[in-house]
Amino acid sequence: MVLTADAEGRCEVFTWDAATRRTRQVTRRPGGTLHGAVDRDACVWWFDEDARGSGRWWYQPFAGGPDRPGLTGLPPGLPRGLAVGDHGTVVIALGDPGGTTVHSGPRGGAARTALRVEGPATLTGATPDGRLIALAVPGAVAVLTPDGEVRATLDSPPGARLWPLGFAPAPEPGSPAREDVLLLVRERPHGYLLGTWSERAGTAEHEWCLFDTEITAGWSADGRTVLVRQDRHGRSHLHRADLAARTLVPVPTPPGTLLDAADRPGGDLHYLWTDTAHPPRLRSTRGTALPALPAAGPVPGSHRDLWTPGPDGPVHTLLSLPDGPPSPVPAVFLVHGGPADHDRDAYDGTVHSLVASGFAVVRVNYRGSTGYGPRWRHAHGSGVGLTQVEDLASVRADLVARRLIRGDATGLWGTSWGGYLVLLALGTRPGLWRAGVAVKPVADTVAAHRTATPALRALDERLFGGTPEQVPHRYARSSPIRYAADVRAPLLVAAAVHDAKCPPSQIRGYLAALRAAGVRHEELWLDSGHDGYDGGDHVTVLRRAVAFLDRELRRPARHPSRTPRPDRDGEHRTIPSGTEGRRSHAEGHHPQRPARG
């Protein structure tokens, strides 16, 4: 088994040998390592990347040995997929600002450029013999040879998108040969359908295997069945599908979230489980003793689900309340990113820290979140971002009315797209929020589109229905920088100087707008990229943000010194005069090197 775990404050790749029951740390990178895999020849793979996310794939034997390049002669690039055949044939896809290049060759040998795709693309698998590869490209799934010869193009139009999930493994020795089969998921208007493709049969959609919310799936080790994980209402449900017998059988697991699962010999299934109160732990359907992962203790307080009525259906919230008497408490809305993601009934160190500090933590699966079906995922009726802010405001009003949280002590905290929603909420509904923390956010939709990666520009164009030149009013209406002067609550902005997804230049422009408007704010600059795997950076942000929120949400409410005027929510806002009611922002824009350990 290959897994990622904490190593002295960094995320690193480890192996666990079921025979010897020992773990071994594979990687020791100063910035940490997230991407890891193991092939059928028991070689462990990892992606060695820099702060901007660019790098190369390396491997070593499962039992240990020298680090070797996956393919030699490759330039660094963004990880767009890795596939290793049964006989050591390696296919690697690397991204760059203009597109994606696919390379192939023998494991550890010289790379040969197979094909070039303009724009974003993802390599999702190769047949066991390396004869065919599957590539997800905008609007289609392409099945090709490593030489670039197209064998099939499967349409993936908006509203009926198609995701490739990998080819079936080779049959075990002594078993009859079978055709190469590619596993697929098709989006339907009311759900997600398991499908397959083969050269002989073409595309088949298995109508008996339809789920109302998002799924992902993978082949069993023998290729006879498919393990399907459904994300539904913040929790995971596991099923085993037999495509030949047309049967779908639930796999019992405790309520919570399954981060990974794998079949083991003898019919056992190992899975990585967590819920809000408990850090991840390895479990077995047969009761096999598995290694304990390093983890903190359980999260204090109580944890529950709440549903708030909304225009497109009820909005689901995961609410964590601190221990103590049942009275309204200060609350932090922890806003998830994505937007194609959702908050889960899963352990989160930030939730743990906030609840232990006496805050309620509110995690809202607003419209646009996954886990609630296609209609919910595509609901942006009031505009990108603005729809989600509506849901945050509705849930806030509901929780205040239920006397679960204090309306005068409610803050926001989000990262990436969640940070974008924090900035947008503070600017468009300034009367509702007492403080905000935005970590590596989108702060200017137009500038972010201009300077972000090709994959994120494509995401913007899907969300907004075009480029900033084609639909300028949509980008402007949903851009936090448009409302920077309306922000009333103190704001902490944490950004990374090497961020390729939410570039620092557009954040600097937003901070300049805050300064020009006299908005109280603080800045924290990290010498890292968007996806930092060094625990020191996370601890730096966590400590600064918790201290900031503790100070701002627990201080007595300020009385306006001038006559207020109604804001967009019908509440009142104070128009600052001179330096009245302001606190100095952090000086300068120079990056601060974060503490480690």
Side-chain angles (χ1 to χ4, degrees):
M1 177 186 295
V2 172
L3 55 113
T4 55
D6 177 75
E8 299 177 345
R10 302 185 313 276
C11 179
E12 297 289 4
V13 175
F14 290 76
T15 62
W16 181 69
D17 190 324
T20 64
R21 310 192 66 74
R22 291 181 179 176
T23 59
R24 180 177 70 87
Q25 184 175 342
V26 177
T27 58
R28 289 175 172 81
R29 299 180 59 251
T33 313
L34 181 66
H35 303 287
V38 60
D39 65 31
R40 289 173 69 90
D41 293 328
C43 290
V44 182
W45 292 76
W46 68 93
F47 193 71
D48 182 19
E49 62 188 283
D50 62 20
R52 295 173 176 82
S54 182
R56 300 176 178 87
W57 284 98
W58 291 74
Y59 76 96
Q60 65 171 240
F62 189 88
D67 298 347
R68 301 183 184 277
L71 293 173
T72 62
L74 287 182
L78 301 174
R80 293 289 180 259
L82 166 73
V84 184
D86 288 353
H87 305 292
T89 300
V90 177
V91 185
I92 291 174
L94 295 173
D96 58 56
T100 305
T101 305
V102 179
H103 311 269
S104 65
R107 183 173 44 223
R112 179 175 54 83
T113 300
L115 62 119
R116 170 78 178 175
V117 177
E118 298 306 315
T122 304
L123 172 71
T124 59
T127 55
D129 59 5
R131 187 178 59 90
L132 296 174
I133 63 174
L135 203 64
V137 298
V141 173
V143 182
L144 316 96
T145 68
D147 296 324
E149 178 187 348
V150 178
R151 293 296 181 85
T153 301
L154 315 178
D155 289 337
S156 179
R161 290 179 298 168
L162 194 65
W163 291 274
L165 298 177
F167 287 95
E172 296 179 349
S175 300
R178 59 170 176 254
E179 190 177 17
D180 293 317
V181 180
L182 176 64
L183 189 63
L184 303 165
V185 172
R186 170 76 77 181
E187 182 183 73
R188 290 282 189 83
H190 302 291
Y192 299 86
L193 188 67
L194 207 62
T196 51
W197 173 90
S198 67
E199 287 187 287
R200 178 181 56 82
T203 303
E205 296 182 351
H206 305 285
E207 300 288 345
W208 53 273
C209 206
L210 177 67
F211 296 82
D212 63 347
T213 60
E214 285 79 357
I215 61 172
T216 188
W219 295 98
S220 61
D222 60 10
R224 295 177 179 174
T225 61
V226 174
L227 204 59
V228 182
R229 187 192 71 195
Q230 180 185 20
D231 292 322
R232 191 170 195 277
H233 299 175
R235 293 178 175 83
S236 302
H237 303 271
L238 205 58
H239 307 264
R240 189 176 297 278
D242 187 320
L243 302 184
R246 297 170 58 86
T247 58
L248 185 66
V249 179
V251 179
T253 57
T257 295
L258 304 180
L259 303 176
D260 203 357
D263 284 308
R264 300 297 300 161
D268 198 1
L269 178 75
H270 294 177
Y271 58 94
L272 188 59
W273 172 90
T274 179
D275 68 5
T276 298
H278 300 93
R281 62 182 66 173
L282 288 167
R283 306 184 74 146
S284 160
T285 55
R286 295 287 182 90
T288 304
L290 298 175
L293 302 178
V299 179
S302 62
H303 315 283
R304 68 179 79 172
D305 292 34
L306 292 174
W307 297 82
T308 300
D312 290 300
V315 181
H316 182 206
T317 296
L318 300 168
L319 175 66
S320 297
L321 294 171
D323 291 322
S327 59
V329 294
V332 177
F333 278 61
L334 201 58
V335 187
H336 76 74
D341 201 351
H342 63 277
D343 273 316
R344 297 161 172 80
D345 180 15
Y347 178 81
D348 185 319
T350 303
V351 174
H352 193 156
S353 296
L354 288 169
V355 173
S357 300
F359 292 104
V361 178
V362 185
R363 293 180 289 165
V364 180
N365 282 327
Y366 48 70
R367 281 172 287 176
S369 301
T370 55
Y372 300 83
R375 182 170 171 268
W376 189 262
R377 181 171 178 171
H378 300 305
H380 296 279
S382 298
V384 175
L386 301 169
T387 303
Q388 289 69 42
V389 169
E390 280 185 4
D391 290 344
L392 295 175
S394 295
V395 171
R396 176 194 175 279
D398 186 19
L399 297 183
V400 170
R402 298 186 195 212
R403 296 187 54 76
L404 293 170
I405 66 172
R406 285 175 47 191
D408 64 342
T410 304
L412 295 157
W413 182 347
T415 299
S416 192
W417 213 75
Y420 158 73
L421 293 180
V422 169
L423 299 183
L424 196 61
L426 292 178
T428 60
R429 295 173 181 257
L432 300 185
W433 313 104
R434 186 76 176 273
V437 176
V439 182
K440 304 175 185 178
V442 173
D444 181 335
T445 56
V446 175
H449 180 274
R450 184 174 59 248
T451 54
T453 65
L456 291 177
R457 288 199 297 271
L459 171 63
D460 287 344
E461 289 160 25
R462 287 198 301 272
L463 285 173
F464 288 101
T467 67
E469 292 73 27
Q470 293 167 332
V471 286
H473 59 289
R474 294 180 185 173
Y475 281 81
R477 186 168 176 263
S478 296
S479 187
I481 198 168
R482 175 178 180 178
Y483 309 99
D486 295 328
V487 173
R488 284 176 55 189
L491 173 61
L492 169 62
V493 177
V497 295
H498 305 299
D499 196 332
K501 295 182 178 179
C502 297
S505 58
Q506 49 97 32
I507 297 175
R508 290 190 176 103
Y510 180 84
L511 293 171
L514 292 182
R515 283 196 301 276
V519 176
R520 296 191 298 133
H521 69 282
E522 300 178 14
E523 303 173 27
L524 171 63
W525 286 89
L526 303 171
D527 188 17
S528 65
H530 191 80
D531 300 310
Y533 314 125
D534 184 343
D537 283 354
H538 294 288
V539 171
T540 297
V541 173
L542 181 67
R543 287 176 174 169
R544 180 79 171 267
V546 171
F548 174 82
L549 291 169
D550 188 71
R551 180 177 69 246
E552 297 299 337
L553 297 184
R554 297 189 196 279
R555 68 169 53 187
R558 293 173 178 267
H559 295 287
S561 58
R562 294 188 58 186
T563 303
R565 72 183 185 196
D567 68 15
R568 293 178 180 85
D569 305 299
E571 298 194 9
H572 287 83
R573 54 179 296 196
T574 302
I575 308 304
S577 173
T579 59
E580 202 170 39
R582 298 179 195 169
R583 180 166 43 83
S584 297
H585 61 272
E587 294 295 332
H589 297 292
H590 299 291
Q592 301 174 10
R593 186 169 299 276
R596 297 186 181 272

